[in-house]
Amino acid sequence: MTGQSFIQISVEELAQRLAAGDSGLQLVDVREPQEVEIASIEGFVNLPLSEFAEWNEEVSTRFDSEAETLVLCHHGIRSAQMCQWLVAQGFTNVKNIGGGIAAYSILVDPSVPQY
């Protein structure tokens, strides 16, 4: 692969996009279910990376490969891995949420718990 084939966006940009109510966004959270129970953002579909074998076959039917897809995790590492995988599957508009939900809690919405 030549260079990075997905974009990184800030948690502030995520908040703006969510506030705008863009219904075309696909929101994916790759954290573990117990992490999502502690802190989550409404609208995200949980696909834990540790359960990849259970859901990877469904991705092409559950999601539109051309729709804008934003991927979230705790700090941005696992979501970057998911972004790379999605691009390899033919997704054309994938964005990693830099800093993850931890940054979202600090910079955007302090009511989202830190863990």
PDB file of all heavy atoms in Angstrom, residues 25-29 43-47 55-56 58-70 82 85-86 91:
ATOM      1  N   LEU A  25     -23.761   9.292   7.278  1.00  0.00           N
ATOM      2  CA  LEU A  25     -22.570   8.784   7.960  1.00  0.00           C
ATOM      3  C   LEU A  25     -22.779   7.348   8.445  1.00  0.00           C
ATOM      4  O   LEU A  25     -23.849   7.004   8.950  1.00  0.00           O
ATOM      5  CB  LEU A  25     -22.241   9.637   9.187  1.00  0.00           C
ATOM      6  CG  LEU A  25     -21.716  11.040   8.952  1.00  0.00           C
ATOM      7  CD1 LEU A  25     -21.523  11.745  10.296  1.00  0.00           C
ATOM      8  CD2 LEU A  25     -20.421  11.023   8.172  1.00  0.00           C
ATOM      9  N   GLN A  26     -21.725   6.538   8.301  1.00  0.00           N
ATOM     10  CA  GLN A  26     -21.697   5.208   8.914  1.00  0.00           C
ATOM     11  C   GLN A  26     -20.720   5.312  10.080  1.00  0.00           C
ATOM     12  O   GLN A  26     -19.578   5.703   9.892  1.00  0.00           O
ATOM     13  CB  GLN A  26     -21.211   4.155   7.910  1.00  0.00           C
ATOM     14  CG  GLN A  26     -22.134   4.020   6.729  1.00  0.00           C
ATOM     15  CD  GLN A  26     -21.686   2.957   5.748  1.00  0.00           C
ATOM     16  OE1 GLN A  26     -22.454   2.075   5.447  1.00  0.00           O
ATOM     17  NE2 GLN A  26     -20.470   3.051   5.237  1.00  0.00           N
ATOM     18  N   LEU A  27     -21.183   4.977  11.265  1.00  0.00           N
ATOM     19  CA  LEU A  27     -20.385   5.133  12.479  1.00  0.00           C
ATOM     20  C   LEU A  27     -20.071   3.766  13.066  1.00  0.00           C
ATOM     21  O   LEU A  27     -20.981   3.006  13.401  1.00  0.00           O
ATOM     22  CB  LEU A  27     -21.155   5.993  13.490  1.00  0.00           C
ATOM     23  CG  LEU A  27     -21.638   7.360  12.962  1.00  0.00           C
ATOM     24  CD1 LEU A  27     -22.578   8.004  13.954  1.00  0.00           C
ATOM     25  CD2 LEU A  27     -20.452   8.262  12.666  1.00  0.00           C
ATOM     26  N   VAL A  28     -18.776   3.462  13.200  1.00  0.00           N
ATOM     27  CA  VAL A  28     -18.343   2.156  13.682  1.00  0.00           C
ATOM     28  C   VAL A  28     -17.434   2.344  14.895  1.00  0.00           C
ATOM     29  O   VAL A  28     -16.475   3.116  14.858  1.00  0.00           O
ATOM     30  CB  VAL A  28     -17.587   1.383  12.573  1.00  0.00           C
ATOM     31  CG1 VAL A  28     -17.104   0.035  13.096  1.00  0.00           C
ATOM     32  CG2 VAL A  28     -18.462   1.209  11.340  1.00  0.00           C
ATOM     33  N   ASP A  29     -17.725   1.622  15.966  1.00  0.00           N
ATOM     34  CA  ASP A  29     -16.930   1.641  17.196  1.00  0.00           C
ATOM     35  C   ASP A  29     -16.328   0.238  17.351  1.00  0.00           C
ATOM     36  O   ASP A  29     -17.064  -0.743  17.437  1.00  0.00           O
ATOM     37  CB  ASP A  29     -17.840   1.971  18.384  1.00  0.00           C
ATOM     38  CG  ASP A  29     -17.101   2.140  19.699  1.00  0.00           C
ATOM     39  OD1 ASP A  29     -15.997   1.563  19.866  1.00  0.00           O
ATOM     40  OD2 ASP A  29     -17.623   2.839  20.584  1.00  0.00           O
ATOM     41  N   GLY A  43     -25.308   6.356  18.176  1.00  0.00           N
ATOM     42  CA  GLY A  43     -25.301   6.198  16.729  1.00  0.00           C
ATOM     43  C   GLY A  43     -24.227   5.275  16.185  1.00  0.00           C
ATOM     44  O   GLY A  43     -24.273   4.884  15.026  1.00  0.00           O
ATOM     45  N   PHE A  44     -23.262   4.917  17.036  1.00  0.00           N
ATOM     46  CA  PHE A  44     -22.174   4.039  16.588  1.00  0.00           C
ATOM     47  C   PHE A  44     -22.580   2.569  16.678  1.00  0.00           C
ATOM     48  O   PHE A  44     -23.201   2.148  17.647  1.00  0.00           O
ATOM     49  CB  PHE A  44     -20.906   4.266  17.427  1.00  0.00           C
ATOM     50  CG  PHE A  44     -20.103   5.452  16.987  1.00  0.00           C
ATOM     51  CD1 PHE A  44     -20.461   6.732  17.372  1.00  0.00           C
ATOM     52  CD2 PHE A  44     -18.989   5.289  16.173  1.00  0.00           C
ATOM     53  CE1 PHE A  44     -19.728   7.837  16.953  1.00  0.00           C
ATOM     54  CE2 PHE A  44     -18.240   6.386  15.749  1.00  0.00           C
ATOM     55  CZ  PHE A  44     -18.617   7.659  16.142  1.00  0.00           C
ATOM     56  N   VAL A  45     -22.215   1.793  15.667  1.00  0.00           N
ATOM     57  CA  VAL A  45     -22.416   0.345  15.658  1.00  0.00           C
ATOM     58  C   VAL A  45     -21.155  -0.273  16.257  1.00  0.00           C
ATOM     59  O   VAL A  45     -20.045   0.055  15.846  1.00  0.00           O
ATOM     60  CB  VAL A  45     -22.606  -0.164  14.206  1.00  0.00           C
ATOM     61  CG1 VAL A  45     -22.666  -1.685  14.174  1.00  0.00           C
ATOM     62  CG2 VAL A  45     -23.841   0.453  13.579  1.00  0.00           C
ATOM     63  N   ASN A  46     -21.320  -1.169  17.230  1.00  0.00           N
ATOM     64  CA  ASN A  46     -20.173  -1.792  17.882  1.00  0.00           C
ATOM     65  C   ASN A  46     -19.757  -3.065  17.149  1.00  0.00           C
ATOM     66  O   ASN A  46     -20.521  -4.016  17.055  1.00  0.00           O
ATOM     67  CB  ASN A  46     -20.501  -2.084  19.353  1.00  0.00           C
ATOM     68  CG  ASN A  46     -19.336  -2.623  20.144  1.00  0.00           C
ATOM     69  OD1 ASN A  46     -19.483  -3.518  20.958  1.00  0.00           O
ATOM     70  ND2 ASN A  46     -18.161  -2.084  19.949  1.00  0.00           N
ATOM     71  N   LEU A  47     -18.531  -3.036  16.610  1.00  0.00           N
ATOM     72  CA  LEU A  47     -17.912  -4.210  15.986  1.00  0.00           C
ATOM     73  C   LEU A  47     -16.558  -4.415  16.660  1.00  0.00           C
ATOM     74  O   LEU A  47     -15.542  -3.919  16.187  1.00  0.00           O
ATOM     75  CB  LEU A  47     -17.708  -3.983  14.476  1.00  0.00           C
ATOM     76  CG  LEU A  47     -18.942  -3.793  13.607  1.00  0.00           C
ATOM     77  CD1 LEU A  47     -18.532  -3.504  12.177  1.00  0.00           C
ATOM     78  CD2 LEU A  47     -19.848  -5.007  13.674  1.00  0.00           C
ATOM     79  N   TRP A  55     -17.855 -11.069  12.751  1.00  0.00           N
ATOM     80  CA  TRP A  55     -18.578 -10.067  11.957  1.00  0.00           C
ATOM     81  C   TRP A  55     -17.937  -9.701  10.617  1.00  0.00           C
ATOM     82  O   TRP A  55     -18.572  -9.035   9.805  1.00  0.00           O
ATOM     83  CB  TRP A  55     -18.840  -8.798  12.774  1.00  0.00           C
ATOM     84  CG  TRP A  55     -17.649  -8.156  13.401  1.00  0.00           C
ATOM     85  CD1 TRP A  55     -17.326  -8.165  14.729  1.00  0.00           C
ATOM     86  CD2 TRP A  55     -16.616  -7.380  12.765  1.00  0.00           C
ATOM     87  NE1 TRP A  55     -16.163  -7.475  14.947  1.00  0.00           N
ATOM     88  CE2 TRP A  55     -15.705  -6.971  13.753  1.00  0.00           C
ATOM     89  CE3 TRP A  55     -16.373  -6.993  11.448  1.00  0.00           C
ATOM     90  CZ2 TRP A  55     -14.580  -6.210  13.473  1.00  0.00           C
ATOM     91  CZ3 TRP A  55     -15.243  -6.232  11.165  1.00  0.00           C
ATOM     92  CH2 TRP A  55     -14.370  -5.846  12.178  1.00  0.00           C
ATOM     93  N   ASN A  56     -16.713 -10.122  10.329  1.00  0.00           N
ATOM     94  CA  ASN A  56     -16.039  -9.630   9.120  1.00  0.00           C
ATOM     95  C   ASN A  56     -16.768  -9.985   7.826  1.00  0.00           C
ATOM     96  O   ASN A  56     -16.741  -9.218   6.873  1.00  0.00           O
ATOM     97  CB  ASN A  56     -14.569 -10.047   9.075  1.00  0.00           C
ATOM     98  CG  ASN A  56     -14.357 -11.490   8.698  1.00  0.00           C
ATOM     99  OD1 ASN A  56     -14.480 -11.864   7.540  1.00  0.00           O
ATOM    100  ND2 ASN A  56     -14.029 -12.308   9.687  1.00  0.00           N
ATOM    101  N   GLU A  58     -19.927 -10.006   7.365  1.00  0.00           N
ATOM    102  CA  GLU A  58     -21.149  -9.205   7.245  1.00  0.00           C
ATOM    103  C   GLU A  58     -20.904  -7.769   6.803  1.00  0.00           C
ATOM    104  O   GLU A  58     -21.846  -7.088   6.400  1.00  0.00           O
ATOM    105  CB  GLU A  58     -21.874  -9.133   8.606  1.00  0.00           C
ATOM    106  CG  GLU A  58     -22.244 -10.447   9.221  1.00  0.00           C
ATOM    107  CD  GLU A  58     -22.703 -10.262  10.670  1.00  0.00           C
ATOM    108  OE1 GLU A  58     -23.029  -9.136  11.074  1.00  0.00           O
ATOM    109  OE2 GLU A  58     -22.720 -11.262  11.392  1.00  0.00           O
ATOM    110  N   VAL A  59     -19.674  -7.301   6.905  1.00  0.00           N
ATOM    111  CA  VAL A  59     -19.390  -5.882   6.674  1.00  0.00           C
ATOM    112  C   VAL A  59     -19.849  -5.416   5.293  1.00  0.00           C
ATOM    113  O   VAL A  59     -20.452  -4.360   5.156  1.00  0.00           O
ATOM    114  CB  VAL A  59     -17.897  -5.568   6.930  1.00  0.00           C
ATOM    115  CG1 VAL A  59     -17.509  -4.206   6.398  1.00  0.00           C
ATOM    116  CG2 VAL A  59     -17.607  -5.647   8.425  1.00  0.00           C
ATOM    117  N   SER A  60     -19.602  -6.215   4.276  1.00  0.00           N
ATOM    118  CA  SER A  60     -19.965  -5.796   2.918  1.00  0.00           C
ATOM    119  C   SER A  60     -21.474  -5.706   2.712  1.00  0.00           C
ATOM    120  O   SER A  60     -21.935  -4.965   1.849  1.00  0.00           O
ATOM    121  CB  SER A  60     -19.336  -6.722   1.888  1.00  0.00           C
ATOM    122  OG  SER A  60     -19.813  -8.044   2.067  1.00  0.00           O
ATOM    123  N   THR A  61     -22.253  -6.439   3.509  1.00  0.00           N
ATOM    124  CA  THR A  61     -23.705  -6.364   3.365  1.00  0.00           C
ATOM    125  C   THR A  61     -24.339  -5.376   4.335  1.00  0.00           C
ATOM    126  O   THR A  61     -25.391  -4.817   4.044  1.00  0.00           O
ATOM    127  CB  THR A  61     -24.355  -7.756   3.556  1.00  0.00           C
ATOM    128  OG1 THR A  61     -23.951  -8.294   4.811  1.00  0.00           O
ATOM    129  CG2 THR A  61     -23.956  -8.706   2.452  1.00  0.00           C
ATOM    130  N   ARG A  62     -23.701  -5.135   5.467  1.00  0.00           N
ATOM    131  CA  ARG A  62     -24.258  -4.209   6.465  1.00  0.00           C
ATOM    132  C   ARG A  62     -23.928  -2.758   6.178  1.00  0.00           C
ATOM    133  O   ARG A  62     -24.619  -1.858   6.660  1.00  0.00           O
ATOM    134  CB  ARG A  62     -23.725  -4.555   7.859  1.00  0.00           C
ATOM    135  CG  ARG A  62     -24.381  -5.776   8.461  1.00  0.00           C
ATOM    136  CD  ARG A  62     -23.854  -6.089   9.835  1.00  0.00           C
ATOM    137  NE  ARG A  62     -24.237  -5.097  10.824  1.00  0.00           N
ATOM    138  CZ  ARG A  62     -23.810  -5.123  12.085  1.00  0.00           C
ATOM    139  NH1 ARG A  62     -23.010  -6.064  12.506  1.00  0.00           N
ATOM    140  NH2 ARG A  62     -24.186  -4.191  12.931  1.00  0.00           N
ATOM    141  N   PHE A  63     -22.841  -2.516   5.432  1.00  0.00           N
ATOM    142  CA  PHE A  63     -22.385  -1.151   5.211  1.00  0.00           C
ATOM    143  C   PHE A  63     -22.195  -0.864   3.733  1.00  0.00           C
ATOM    144  O   PHE A  63     -21.898  -1.762   2.955  1.00  0.00           O
ATOM    145  CB  PHE A  63     -21.058  -0.909   5.950  1.00  0.00           C
ATOM    146  CG  PHE A  63     -21.170  -1.067   7.435  1.00  0.00           C
ATOM    147  CD1 PHE A  63     -20.804  -2.261   8.050  1.00  0.00           C
ATOM    148  CD2 PHE A  63     -21.651  -0.046   8.237  1.00  0.00           C
ATOM    149  CE1 PHE A  63     -20.920  -2.429   9.422  1.00  0.00           C
ATOM    150  CE2 PHE A  63     -21.778  -0.202   9.606  1.00  0.00           C
ATOM    151  CZ  PHE A  63     -21.406  -1.391  10.205  1.00  0.00           C
ATOM    152  N   ASP A  64     -22.340   0.396   3.367  1.00  0.00           N
ATOM    153  CA  ASP A  64     -22.133   0.848   1.998  1.00  0.00           C
ATOM    154  C   ASP A  64     -20.660   1.225   1.850  1.00  0.00           C
ATOM    155  O   ASP A  64     -20.177   2.118   2.546  1.00  0.00           O
ATOM    156  CB  ASP A  64     -23.038   2.057   1.736  1.00  0.00           C
ATOM    157  CG  ASP A  64     -22.885   2.641   0.344  1.00  0.00           C
ATOM    158  OD1 ASP A  64     -21.942   2.259  -0.389  1.00  0.00           O
ATOM    159  OD2 ASP A  64     -23.701   3.502  -0.003  1.00  0.00           O
ATOM    160  N   SER A  65     -19.962   0.553   0.949  1.00  0.00           N
ATOM    161  CA  SER A  65     -18.515   0.784   0.806  1.00  0.00           C
ATOM    162  C   SER A  65     -18.176   2.171   0.273  1.00  0.00           C
ATOM    163  O   SER A  65     -17.035   2.597   0.362  1.00  0.00           O
ATOM    164  CB  SER A  65     -17.890  -0.290  -0.087  1.00  0.00           C
ATOM    165  OG  SER A  65     -18.407  -0.186  -1.399  1.00  0.00           O
ATOM    166  N   GLU A  66     -19.175   2.885  -0.257  1.00  0.00           N
ATOM    167  CA  GLU A  66     -18.908   4.223  -0.778  1.00  0.00           C
ATOM    168  C   GLU A  66     -19.362   5.332   0.175  1.00  0.00           C
ATOM    169  O   GLU A  66     -19.025   6.491  -0.024  1.00  0.00           O
ATOM    170  CB  GLU A  66     -19.569   4.388  -2.152  1.00  0.00           C
ATOM    171  CG  GLU A  66     -18.924   3.465  -3.177  1.00  0.00           C
ATOM    172  CD  GLU A  66     -19.527   3.588  -4.558  1.00  0.00           C
ATOM    173  OE1 GLU A  66     -20.338   4.511  -4.785  1.00  0.00           O
ATOM    174  OE2 GLU A  66     -19.178   2.759  -5.409  1.00  0.00           O
ATOM    175  N   ALA A  67     -20.119   4.984   1.209  1.00  0.00           N
ATOM    176  CA  ALA A  67     -20.589   5.982   2.165  1.00  0.00           C
ATOM    177  C   ALA A  67     -19.456   6.383   3.105  1.00  0.00           C
ATOM    178  O   ALA A  67     -18.528   5.608   3.353  1.00  0.00           O
ATOM    179  CB  ALA A  67     -21.758   5.427   2.970  1.00  0.00           C
ATOM    180  N   GLU A  68     -19.535   7.594   3.622  1.00  0.00           N
ATOM    181  CA  GLU A  68     -18.519   8.064   4.564  1.00  0.00           C
ATOM    182  C   GLU A  68     -18.613   7.232   5.840  1.00  0.00           C
ATOM    183  O   GLU A  68     -19.676   7.122   6.446  1.00  0.00           O
ATOM    184  CB  GLU A  68     -18.735   9.543   4.876  1.00  0.00           C
ATOM    185  CG  GLU A  68     -17.646  10.124   5.717  1.00  0.00           C
ATOM    186  CD  GLU A  68     -17.756  11.633   5.879  1.00  0.00           C
ATOM    187  OE1 GLU A  68     -18.726  12.233   5.378  1.00  0.00           O
ATOM    188  OE2 GLU A  68     -16.859  12.212   6.506  1.00  0.00           O
ATOM    189  N   THR A  69     -17.493   6.637   6.225  1.00  0.00           N
ATOM    190  CA  THR A  69     -17.445   5.726   7.368  1.00  0.00           C
ATOM    191  C   THR A  69     -16.447   6.264   8.386  1.00  0.00           C
ATOM    192  O   THR A  69     -15.269   6.411   8.084  1.00  0.00           O
ATOM    193  CB  THR A  69     -17.029   4.310   6.909  1.00  0.00           C
ATOM    194  OG1 THR A  69     -17.922   3.892   5.858  1.00  0.00           O
ATOM    195  CG2 THR A  69     -17.089   3.318   8.048  1.00  0.00           C
ATOM    196  N   LEU A  70     -16.931   6.579   9.594  1.00  0.00           N
ATOM    197  CA  LEU A  70     -16.080   7.097  10.667  1.00  0.00           C
ATOM    198  C   LEU A  70     -15.877   5.984  11.688  1.00  0.00           C
ATOM    199  O   LEU A  70     -16.837   5.349  12.120  1.00  0.00           O
ATOM    200  CB  LEU A  70     -16.733   8.306  11.337  1.00  0.00           C
ATOM    201  CG  LEU A  70     -17.183   9.452  10.427  1.00  0.00           C
ATOM    202  CD1 LEU A  70     -17.753  10.595  11.256  1.00  0.00           C
ATOM    203  CD2 LEU A  70     -16.051   9.945   9.553  1.00  0.00           C
ATOM    204  N   MET A  82      -8.754  -0.831  11.859  1.00  0.00           N
ATOM    205  CA  MET A  82     -10.025  -1.107  11.188  1.00  0.00           C
ATOM    206  C   MET A  82     -10.119  -0.303   9.891  1.00  0.00           C
ATOM    207  O   MET A  82     -10.578  -0.829   8.873  1.00  0.00           O
ATOM    208  CB  MET A  82     -11.180  -0.758  12.122  1.00  0.00           C
ATOM    209  CG  MET A  82     -12.551  -0.972  11.522  1.00  0.00           C
ATOM    210  SD  MET A  82     -12.908  -2.724  11.217  1.00  0.00           S
ATOM    211  CE  MET A  82     -14.687  -2.636  11.021  1.00  0.00           C
ATOM    212  N   TRP A  85      -8.198  -2.001   7.229  1.00  0.00           N
ATOM    213  CA  TRP A  85      -8.901  -3.192   6.776  1.00  0.00           C
ATOM    214  C   TRP A  85     -10.068  -2.819   5.864  1.00  0.00           C
ATOM    215  O   TRP A  85     -10.270  -3.428   4.812  1.00  0.00           O
ATOM    216  CB  TRP A  85      -9.374  -4.025   7.969  1.00  0.00           C
ATOM    217  CG  TRP A  85     -10.046  -5.286   7.545  1.00  0.00           C
ATOM    218  CD1 TRP A  85      -9.437  -6.445   7.131  1.00  0.00           C
ATOM    219  CD2 TRP A  85     -11.458  -5.526   7.447  1.00  0.00           C
ATOM    220  NE1 TRP A  85     -10.388  -7.378   6.794  1.00  0.00           N
ATOM    221  CE2 TRP A  85     -11.631  -6.847   6.973  1.00  0.00           C
ATOM    222  CE3 TRP A  85     -12.584  -4.744   7.724  1.00  0.00           C
ATOM    223  CZ2 TRP A  85     -12.894  -7.409   6.773  1.00  0.00           C
ATOM    224  CZ3 TRP A  85     -13.834  -5.306   7.518  1.00  0.00           C
ATOM    225  CH2 TRP A  85     -13.984  -6.618   7.050  1.00  0.00           C
ATOM    226  N   LEU A  86     -10.844  -1.795   6.256  1.00  0.00           N
ATOM    227  CA  LEU A  86     -11.986  -1.368   5.436  1.00  0.00           C
ATOM    228  C   LEU A  86     -11.526  -0.918   4.052  1.00  0.00           C
ATOM    229  O   LEU A  86     -12.144  -1.272   3.043  1.00  0.00           O
ATOM    230  CB  LEU A  86     -12.763  -0.250   6.132  1.00  0.00           C
ATOM    231  CG  LEU A  86     -13.609  -0.669   7.340  1.00  0.00           C
ATOM    232  CD1 LEU A  86     -14.131   0.556   8.072  1.00  0.00           C
ATOM    233  CD2 LEU A  86     -14.757  -1.580   6.929  1.00  0.00           C
ATOM    234  N   PHE A  91     -13.606  -0.085   0.692  1.00  0.00           N
ATOM    235  CA  PHE A  91     -14.285   1.117   1.177  1.00  0.00           C
ATOM    236  C   PHE A  91     -13.498   2.340   0.695  1.00  0.00           C
ATOM    237  O   PHE A  91     -12.269   2.363   0.756  1.00  0.00           O
ATOM    238  CB  PHE A  91     -14.393   1.106   2.702  1.00  0.00           C
ATOM    239  CG  PHE A  91     -15.529   0.254   3.214  1.00  0.00           C
ATOM    240  CD1 PHE A  91     -15.495  -1.129   3.085  1.00  0.00           C
ATOM    241  CD2 PHE A  91     -16.632   0.831   3.816  1.00  0.00           C
ATOM    242  CE1 PHE A  91     -16.539  -1.929   3.537  1.00  0.00           C
ATOM    243  CE2 PHE A  91     -17.682   0.052   4.276  1.00  0.00           C
ATOM    244  CZ  PHE A  91     -17.638  -1.331   4.138  1.00  0.00           C
TER     245      PHE A  91
END
